[in-house]
Amino acid sequence: MTRIFTSLLFISFFLINSLSLRAQTVVTISTPYFQDFGVPGCTMPANWQNLGPEFWQFRNFSNTYMQGGDHTTGTTCFANIDDSGGGGNPVGNLISETFDLTALSAATLRFWWQNSNGTSSSPAPSGNPWMELRIDVSTNGGATYTNDILVLGNEQVGWAEATVDITPFISANTRIRFRGIETNSFRSDLSLDDVEVFQPPASDVGVTALNGPIGTCNTGIENIDVTIGNFGALPATNFDVTYI
């Protein structure tokens, strides 16, 4: 009996150790990483984790309180939290696989998200008015995280692009956590698609918003007010802005 028990114990340890090794699979990124959640059958991508208490779903059809289908084609899969309401603003944690980013001199995270369809969606009576998406990053394989390097919590109708500089988190064991926080109602479904991690070009400057003039065009002299974003790895000065 002792020998049988010892054998079973060894088998159990071997299985646990094997699972642990699989969980630590590291993806080396020297070229852009792209995840569109387009796994056949809309299942979770390999080496990602889905931790509750509220869980992300993977679907290929529009949820009630979101706008349209997936960002890529409108017919394939995306990640989603169905805003089920209830107190306490339950949280869903979708965690990427582990990345080795040490081949990059700079790193950018880009993805597309939404939390409203703009018609039947409506704010919660208390707590978070719209489902929030918070980005956390780990440099030790998910043992600990730096929270809230990006917080998205305003109403977003339809897919919108979001980018964040993760250069300070370049390591051999970087993981990204997409933390969705529900509302106290049920009318703000959070969706995520087309996650990218890449090295930005050295120089990349562009207009991110037209602030004015808005509305009717006048024939007099108008001040053009725009917001400029620097998406490159280097500081940008002395560049031209043109308009049509």
Side-chain angles (χ1 to χ4, degrees), residues 42-86:
C42 291
T43 58
M44 186 170 64
N47 299 316
W48 284 60
Q49 285 184 295
N50 192 5
L51 304 178
E54 185 67 29
F55 293 95
W56 289 76
Q57 304 169 16
F58 301 89
R59 59 175 71 228
N60 60 1
F61 57 91
S62 177
N63 207 354
T64 305
Y65 300 107
M66 64 166 283
Q67 184 74 39
D70 84 299
H71 171 255
T72 315
T73 65
T75 58
T76 57
C77 307
F78 58 94
N80 170 266
I81 294 180
D82 183 357
D83 188 13
S84 57

